Amino acid sequence: EAQVTQNPRYLITVTGKKLTVTCSQNMNHEYMSWYRQDPGLGLRQIYYSMNVEVTDKGDVPEGYKVSRKEKRNFPLILESPSPNQTSLYFCASSLALSSYEQYFGPGTRLTVT
Amino acid sequence: TQLLEQSPQFLSIQEGENLTVYCNSSSVFSSLQWYRQEPGEGPVLLVTVVTGGEVKKLKRLTFQFGDARKDSSLHITAAQTGDTGLYLCAGWVGSGYALNFGKGTSLLVTP
């Protein structure tokens, strides 16, 4: 089954404790991205990757890091999480840029206390 | 940067009614997509429009891309309770690499 998986689905952590949210796709997609979704602000892109070892900042990259060492995986790293990073996070992938369907993962709800 | 403005933000209607939601921008989009998101899930693509003036129909849903490729609309005929959800428009500006999303229209259809 074609899918994007994220782990964990739910995470409660404390300020400053490094964490990684994993994302994996099994569709051989080149383009992957991370979004955060907040009430009243909608979906905002954090980082995206056009291929292995090629990443770039989206609209809200501060406080986040990503890596793309393999085509299928695109982890999101929060090295020192803060309460303002409490949000719902989505990973997405698509075959290529522009006009192609974005396949979204099920989301990770992160709470930073 | 919020390039896409959606309206209305919230919409509550009864089953059988028609409705239209709008997605507007001052920027020209090379293509525009509509997604639907249900609670606890990621957005799912409904349609992609590419050509200015394009109209696409998906059963009771009709999507239109403005002639100038700056706006789009989604019309639902005879809404059903299963249409309840968050409707998001999203698009690429020119040859940009970042996908821009509107804030969404939250639709509630009651029996």
Side-chain angles (χ1 to χ4, degrees), chain A residues 4-41:
Chain A
V4 177
T5 56
Q6 293 179 228
N7 282 292
R9 293 290 312 277
Y10 302 91
L11 179 60
I12 300 173
T13 190
V14 296
T15 299
K17 186 176 181 181
K18 181 179 179 179
L19 66 93
T20 299
V21 183
T22 64
C23 172
S24 182
Q25 50 94 3
N26 62 0
M27 296 168 279
N28 201 36
H29 284 169
E30 289 192 351
Y31 185 88
M32 296 185 75
S33 54
W34 276 102
Y35 297 87
R36 60 178 290 174
Q37 188 172 35
D38 302 287
L41 296 176

Side-chain angles (χ1 to χ4, degrees), chain B residues 71-105:
Chain B
D71 56 270
S72 181
S73 64
L74 158 59
H75 181 79
I76 301 179
T77 302
Q80 300 176 356
T81 55
D83 295 327
T84 293
L86 180 67
Y87 289 82
L88 297 158
C89 65
W92 284 264
V93 177
S95 58
Y97 300 130
L99 180 59
N100 299 277
F101 275 87
K103 293 182 182 181
T105 293

Side-chain angles (χ1 to χ4, degrees), chain A residues 19-101:
Chain A
L19 66 93
T20 299
V21 183
T22 64
C23 172
S24 182
Q25 50 94 3
N26 62 0
M27 296 168 279
N28 201 36
H29 284 169
E30 289 192 351
Y31 185 88
M32 296 185 75
S33 54
W34 276 102
Y35 297 87
R36 60 178 290 174
Q37 188 172 35
D38 302 287
L41 296 176
L43 269 166
R44 294 178 293 167
Q45 194 171 50
I46 303 170
Y47 269 94
Y48 61 90
S49 169
M50 290 176 286
N51 213 325
V52 175
E53 302 293 1
V54 181
T55 64
D56 206 349
K57 297 176 181 179
D59 285 332
V60 288
E62 295 77 22
Y64 304 95
K65 285 177 60 177
V66 292
S67 68
R68 187 94 180 272
K69 294 184 172 60
E70 307 166 279
K71 201 171 188 178
R72 63 183 295 126
N73 296 323
F74 191 44
L76 179 69
I77 303 156
L78 285 72
E79 296 215 327
S80 184
S82 62
N84 65 13
Q85 292 179 298
T86 292
S87 186
L88 179 58
Y89 291 87
F90 288 100
C91 178
S93 74
S94 65
L95 192 60
L97 289 173
S98 192
S99 305
Y100 286 92
E101 177 175 2

Side-chain angles (χ1 to χ4, degrees), chain B:
Chain B
T1 306
Q2 198 78 49
L3 294 179
L4 289 163
E5 298 291 335
Q6 289 190 242
S7 61
Q9 190 176 357
F10 300 100
L11 190 55
S12 181
I13 62 171
Q14 288 192 311
E15 213 168 17
E17 292 184 22
N18 301 333
L19 67 114
T20 302
V21 299
Y22 300 93
C23 176
N24 295 296
S25 177
S26 58
S27 301
V28 176
F29 286 86
S30 56
S31 64
L32 199 139
Q33 297 178 325
W34 285 91
Y35 290 81
R36 188 171 82 188
Q37 184 180 15
E38 299 190 21
E41 300 181 10
V44 175
L45 181 69
L46 295 173
V47 77
T48 300
V49 285
V50 178
T51 306
E54 183 176 3
V55 177
K56 281 192 174 180
K57 292 191 175 183
L58 187 68
K59 296 183 182 178
R60 294 174 295 100
L61 278 60
T62 301
F63 303 87
Q64 187 160 4
F65 200 15
D67 290 341
R69 288 187 287 133
K70 292 183 178 182
D71 56 270
S72 181
S73 64
L74 158 59
H75 181 79
I76 301 179
T77 302
Q80 300 176 356
T81 55
D83 295 327
T84 293
L86 180 67
Y87 289 82
L88 297 158
C89 65
W92 284 264
V93 177
S95 58
Y97 300 130
L99 180 59
N100 299 277
F101 275 87
K103 293 182 182 181
T105 293
S106 182
L107 173 65
L108 174 63
V109 183
T110 55

